[in-house]
Amino acid sequence: MNRLFDFMLPPEKSTTAGEVDALFHFITEVSLILLLGITAVMLYFAFKYRRKSEDETTPLITHNNTLEITWSVIPLILVLIVFSWGYQGYLAKTNPPDDAYEIRAVATSWLWQFHYQNGHVSTNELHVPANRPVRIIMSSDDVIHSFYVPDYRVKMDVLPNRYTQVWFEATEPGESVLYCAEYCGTAHSDMLADVIVHTQEDFELWLETGDAIDEDLSPAELGEQLVQRQGCMACHSTDGTVLQGPSFLGAFGRDRELTDGTTVTIDENYIRQSLLEPNTQVAAGFQPIMPSYAASLNDRQIDAIIEYLKTLEE
Amino acid sequence: MATSDSPNIKKLQVRRYPPEENPKKTYLTEERGLWAWMTTVDHKKIGWLYLSSIAFFFFVAGVLALLLRTELLTPSQSFITADTYNQLFTLHGAIMVFFFLVPSVPAALGNFILPLQLGCKDVAFPRVNLLSFYIYVAGAIIVLTAIFTGGVDTGWTFYTPYSSSAAGGNIMMMTFGVFVLGFSSILTGLNFIVTIHRMRSPGLTWNKLPLFLWGLYATSVIQILATPVLAITLLLLTMERLLGIGIFDPAIGGDPVLYQHFFWFYSHPAVYIMIVPGFGIISEIITTFSRKHIFGYWAIALSSLAIAFIGFLVWGHHMFVAGQSSLANMVFSFLTFLVGIPTGIKIFNWVATMYKGSIDLKTPMLYAMSFLFLFMIGGFTGIMLGALSVDIHLHDTYYVVAHFHYVMMGGMVFAFLGGLHYWWPKMTGKMYNEFWAKISLLILFIGFNLTFLPQFVMGSLGMPRRYFNYLEQFQGYHQLSTWGAYLLGVGFVIMAVYLFHSMRNGKQAKANPWGSRSLEWQASSPPPLHNFEHHTPVIIHGSYDYHKPMSEFQLGIPTSHNGHGEEETVTPEPGPAEEADK
């Protein structure tokens, strides 16, 4: 249905989005009518009763009970409608169906990791099946983050000391953006992920094979893709800029001073170690905040990243 | 008041007391010099001290906002780094809220006007009044030091655990500054409550109390009850950081959501500290420029108190997606809608006041009408955000940012500016240039809407707040918003120019240039050091009695027997000398 304020909302891509949008339209349209009505009356009075002489006196009108009760009760009824409508929608959005497919999400400054039931892990990519309720059980490794997918009209804070959950059912295969909506520091605005919706068969295929579709890439090309997809770029630049972590540019083969005062050469083993147990050898001047990639990268992918870093010469 | 059939109360002889025009001796010409200003206990001078301080902070935080908007012209880095951006938006919010919005109307305009509207010489505790100003200055200096010794980048909400562990910057000192500041707020509130209870002029009964004072009264109650909670919260935060006691930080056994409860328990009522006195200003302006008795006096007065009361019970609507229970969310959502009702009642009453008025569209009136329009948008979008299912989508997006600015800037700042223009002749004794004032208002109005309307759209499209980088699809909206912000800047520059010009070269203002019935306009412009030169005035008519011509308007000084001053003889003037009791 085409409505006046459709331009204000992103496409509806979940089963509960329509419910939210209906209420959004209702409030916006009623508000617009009231806003224009009251403003028109105000402007009409300002014109009709403009001052014509300095000595005018005005009638004494102190109050009018009927009128005042009317304009208290009508808004009260309106907001009660909005309240119950909103609460109803809220219940639907917060109570996942029993048969929902469960995915575990871990938020870390500043990336998202998703653990699937077969042990597969993806970073900054959330793969879900279409037309099946998905329940995400979330926690944070550090500060508060918030899981927000505008296309699904879902949002839930991700807390460090407890689990929170969110559920949705995507209606069609495609991609949507997942934002972190709770301010979490320097790279808060880069803490995005892709939600990739597969058909049920494709989803199962993806779960089996993971990123095997990358077979035909050269190791360096695959490495470049992985560095971008796995959220590395939130903290490590490839152009020499120092972010939360050291830049990759020209790093390979160089000596690096560590926080414990020792020096290592950045070679294949150092990179491997940094991916799997990142906080054992932290470069001097940086915080030990990098999450481990042990669960999300296989050997071939680690090799590819090493090959890619070798290409980043100054 | 006495009537002829209550024999115990004496009749009171009064004479009409016209204010002196072009007074030679005013509060500005007495006790001059820097030291006299710094140590003054005169509520009018203290009002000016506050006004100049909040103007300074508004300027600083406004410039920060322009820097932020400039950075957001492009989706990626334009000219500052992400860390700088995060510090700037933190400072913009913290300075605007704690150093401008909270003290703006009560401490600056309220200080100046409250004793004048009550007909007394000063507030109840003049020295405490000065003390609260210096506490404000001390808080400000501590915060400024924090800024210059390494910024704070937590956002003005200081959410844990980010603020208690990860963030760098001088958050300790920053929160300490805000803590100190709170005491200034508490003392001002206390002072106002006592003054309103104890120092009303004879005849100024509660049902004649000007609505601005009802607004300040409700505000003061919130200040006294809510501000200590903020102080406690910041103290706990400090203990956690300094002593490592786990209160909010989960790493040492605390609960970050507890912090949010504490914080919003203060900060939501604080929103009403900011807006309720603004409501009071609007009531004064609309009656004066419509020459009309306020419609629904008690409805407006009591709705301020209702807002103050219910406002304490809605803090949880900031936490709908923070992991609160469904039951808590339902209750908070419900109460949030309830608080909308008294606010709506006020709006209807203001518009009804204009009915059959004699409306003069001077600058303050135009500000009041702009306020009504912008505040309604703020209110309606608040209804949207109170609806649970929709809030899940809109929470922490630019929709909230726009809503907040419509309430706080379109509402509160426009009300404040309306009040400033309304009372400017009283405060300075000078008129400002009406033409430029209207031009400036027009630019502000257009600039404001251009800045914040696009933010509603991008917010509901999914643009989260506090984002340094953003997706390209939002760039058009961000650019519109930035151009609007520049327009706002132009509007404020024009205002600063004509107001300064008016101070030096403005036309001498009459005692009552707007023909208002309110008490502060029955003193000369600017008022003498002790407000009403002769005596404590006796209030005969209410401050909204516009149904009688000005020539019949009675404000008397007593001739005898009212208990004020010595038994002295005042010769009744020929002409409008009347008995007090009609």
Side-chain angles (χ1 to χ4, degrees), chain B residues 22 58 107 159 171 217 254 281 288 312 346 420 470 482 507 574:
Chain B
N22 299 323
F58 184 75
Y159 267 20
I171 181 139
Y217 187 79
I281 294 178
T288 296
F312 271 103
K346 276 177 190 289
L420 188 66
Y470 56 87
T482 302
K507 245 179 32 195

Side-chain angles (χ1 to χ4, degrees), chain A residues 8 56 58 62 90 155 180 183, chain B residues 153 291 296 358 395 460 467:
Chain A
M8 287 185 76
E56 275 176 342
T58 50
T62 56
Y90 168 81
K155 183 181 293 116
C180 173
Y183 174 71
Chain B
D153 72 339
R291 287 254 168 102
S358 165
H395 204 88
S460 56
Y467 261 38

Side-chain angles (χ1 to χ4, degrees), chain B residues 89-105:
Chain B
F89 78 65
T90 302
L91 290 178
H92 166 73
I95 293 180
M96 279 294 188
V97 168
F98 296 114
F99 293 92
F100 173 73
L101 287 171
V102 169
S104 61
V105 176

Side-chain angles (χ1 to χ4, degrees), chain A residues 73-142:
Chain A
V73 169
I74 292 179
L76 186 64
I77 294 171
L78 282 175
V79 297
L80 287 179
I81 294 174
V82 171
F83 163 72
S84 7
W85 193 341
Y87 183 57
Q88 210 181 351
Y90 168 81
L91 285 182
K93 283 181 100 62
T94 44
N95 291 314
D98 292 338
D99 60 339
Y101 180 80
E102 284 180 15
I103 299 173
R104 176 85 170 82
V106 179
T108 311
S109 298
W110 295 277
L111 51 84
W112 298 93
Q113 278 189 333
F114 300 99
H115 302 251
Y116 301 84
Q117 281 165 6
N118 69 345
H120 198 78
V121 178
S122 66
T123 304
N124 284 351
E125 273 180 10
L126 170 60
H127 293 260
V128 294
N131 300 316
R132 181 169 175 193
V134 175
R135 172 170 170 239
I136 318 264
I137 300 143
M138 309 181 289
S139 65
S140 164
D141 273 352
D142 38 46

Side-chain angles (χ1 to χ4, degrees), chain B residues 192-203:
Chain B
F192 283 5
I193 289 185
V194 175
T195 311
I196 291 176
H197 270 278
R198 303 301 304 162
M199 296 177 73
R200 283 169 287 130
S201 294

Side-chain angles (χ1 to χ4, degrees), chain A residues 192-269:
Chain A
L192 310 185
D194 289 319
V195 185
I196 299 165
V197 184
H198 304 275
T199 60
Q200 184 67 36
E201 302 82 63
D202 285 354
F203 179 68
E204 266 151 31
L205 186 69
W206 178 83
L207 272 186
E208 292 304 313
T209 55
D211 297 323
I213 23 173
D214 300 322
E215 286 295 353
D216 49 348
L217 294 176
S218 76
E221 283 169 347
L222 175 61
E224 184 174 7
Q225 277 200 1
L226 287 168
V227 162
Q228 281 165 3
R229 280 215 314 249
Q230 298 281 339
C232 311
M233 307 283 284
C235 299
H236 303 277
S237 77
T238 52
D239 61 2
T241 319
V242 178
L243 303 171
Q244 269 51 57
S247 176
F248 288 151
L249 184 67
F252 193 85
R254 219 185 260 174
D255 284 347
R256 171 164 293 167
E257 204 178 316
L258 301 181
T259 43
D260 58 9
T262 59
T263 305
V264 293
T265 304
I266 303 180
D267 56 9
E268 287 85 350
N269 274 323

